[in-house]
Every structure is written in structure tokens, then in C-alpha cells.
Amino acid sequence: QVHLVESGGGLVQAGGSLRLSCAASGSILVINAMGWYRQAPGKQRELVAVWRSGGNTDYADSVKGRFTISRDNAKNTVYLQMNSLKPEDTAVYYCNAEGVRYDSARFNYWGQGTQVTVSS
């Protein structure tokens, strides 16, 4: 099993910043990609940002220029730096990791979610 533990959510005023963290642990041989998704009440889950092995990153249009995804390979941790937060960023943010386990099986796991609330 692979476990993802998220932290860093909270309540901030519009224009503020938060940094989310997602630490992966378990029987990990290699992580190929880690990403952040979010889901607001009554909305579908959407991709926010993704990091892929080799350092390639992609962002949703709604967060480009405001959010930055980065990874600490030594800690198997991915971060999401969120600046200039807007009320529409309010959602539960979920971490996702894809890779290969020690038994050679591929995995795709989700974190528990962390609430981000941006007030106006």
C-alpha cells in the first residue's frame, strides 16, 4: 500500500497564500507523477496541477500564474504554493500519486483531502 498524507489547508482572506503538502510513503519503488485536484460542493473534481518525473508540470488555466507545484524527491513530497487566492479557489484539495510499487505493480492513490477556504 501507498499512503498519502496531506496538510496545509486552512481559512484565508482573498489575496492571501497557503502552501499544501502531500507526503507519500509505503512500498514505493518509483513515483511517476503527483498532482493536486480539488472539489467544491456540488462540483466535479478537477485537476489543479500535476508534476511528472523529469520535472514537467501542468496547471489548470484558472490557477496559472498563481499556483506553483514543486516536489522534494528526497522526501517523496509534493507541494502546492497557492498565492493570490480567490473565493472560487475554495474547495477540498486532494493529492494524487501514480507510480510503481516494490512488487512491480502500478499504483494510483489519493490523499485524504484538505479543506481550503478563501473568504471575500
Side-chain angles (χ1 to χ4, degrees), residues 30-117:
V30 62
I31 291 177
N32 296 133
M34 296 185 74
W36 289 96
Y37 295 72
R38 66 187 181 188
Q39 187 168 22
K43 305 283 187 177
Q44 289 192 311
R45 187 172 298 184
E46 64 175 344
L47 176 69
V48 177
V50 61
W51 170 93
R52 300 183 179 91
S53 61
N56 180 260
T57 58
D58 288 305
Y59 298 89
D61 288 341
S62 60
V63 307
K64 285 181 179 177
R66 299 189 296 120
F67 292 10
T68 302
I69 188 170
S70 61
R71 186 170 186 271
D72 184 335
N73 292 330
K75 297 180 179 179
N76 269 350
T77 299
V78 68
Y79 304 94
L80 185 68
Q81 179 66 45
M82 304 185 294
N83 298 325
S84 301
L85 283 162
K86 304 174 180 179
E88 52 262 44
D89 294 319
T90 296
V92 177
Y93 284 69
Y94 296 91
C95 178
N96 176 266
E98 183 274 330
V100 183
R101 305 194 310 194
Y102 285 128
D103 64 1
S104 80
R106 286 175 166 74
F107 67 81
N108 189 304
Y109 289 106
W110 294 91
Q112 81 280 8
T114 185
Q115 176 71 231
V116 171
T117 302

